[in-house]
Amino acid sequence: MSRALTENVVEEFAIGSLLASGSEVRQGAGLAEAGLNLTGGLIDALVRDVLERLNPQLSHVEREHVLRVLSRPPHPSLIENNRWLYGLLTDGVPVEYKDAITGETRGGRARLIDFENPTNNDFLDRKST
């Protein structure tokens, strides 16, 4: 008998794959017990950390710009905003930055996910089990 492909099946597979690769998976309930919550403050801090680690060429001001872009979905519908955010997660956030060596203004994309080294990512599971 085959199981129906549901979001839960995909999530269980992804978490199992992460655990098998040596990644740590933390439950949202455990974060709450540690005095943290999954609202703006914690999420902003996590995104700031990711932006700094994955985009060392960006200044603090440029990283804050990326955070503002992420916090202001541009579309009126949830579906459009989900597609917009998916694009930013997979392709990066468009940015302009000053090259530290040449001083030239360059265009690029701020990465939000380390696809080359997935264990460098922090995966939060908000379910309590």
Side-chain angles (χ1 to χ4, degrees):
M1 173 187 252
S2 65
R3 285 174 56 181
L5 184 60
T6 64
E7 182 178 340
N8 192 49
V9 170
V10 172
E11 185 177 278
E12 287 174 6
F13 174 78
I15 290 171
S17 297
L18 290 168
L19 291 172
S21 72
S23 296
E24 177 184 358
V25 177
R26 294 178 280 164
Q27 300 291 325
L31 295 173
E33 290 169 7
L36 302 170
N37 62 45
L38 293 176
T39 58
L42 174 61
I43 298 300
D44 287 356
L46 293 172
V47 173
R48 280 186 178 97
D49 177 60
V50 166
L51 288 171
E52 190 172 342
R53 277 188 297 112
L54 297 181
N55 305 280
Q57 77 281 10
L58 299 180
S59 71
H60 173 75
V61 170
E62 292 154 344
R63 289 190 304 267
E64 289 297 310
H65 168 75
V66 171
L67 190 59
R68 281 191 305 278
V69 167
L70 293 170
S71 67
R72 295 187 179 112
H75 302 289
S77 81
L78 180 61
I79 291 173
E80 288 175 303
N81 284 324
N82 281 346
R83 288 181 181 137
W84 167 79
L85 182 58
Y86 176 80
L88 297 179
L89 289 171
T90 57
D91 301 330
V93 179
V95 292
E96 284 189 354
Y97 63 96
K98 186 167 272 206
D99 187 294
I101 297 171
T102 66
E104 296 175 338
T105 299
R106 300 201 182 266
R109 293 193 169 262
R111 295 185 315 144
L112 302 172
I113 298 176
D114 188 345
F115 288 105
E116 289 92 36
N117 205 349
T119 58
N120 284 339
N121 297 303
D122 189 6
F123 298 94
L124 297 175
D125 180 359
R126 295 183 302 173
K127 290 189 317 185
S128 58
T129 56

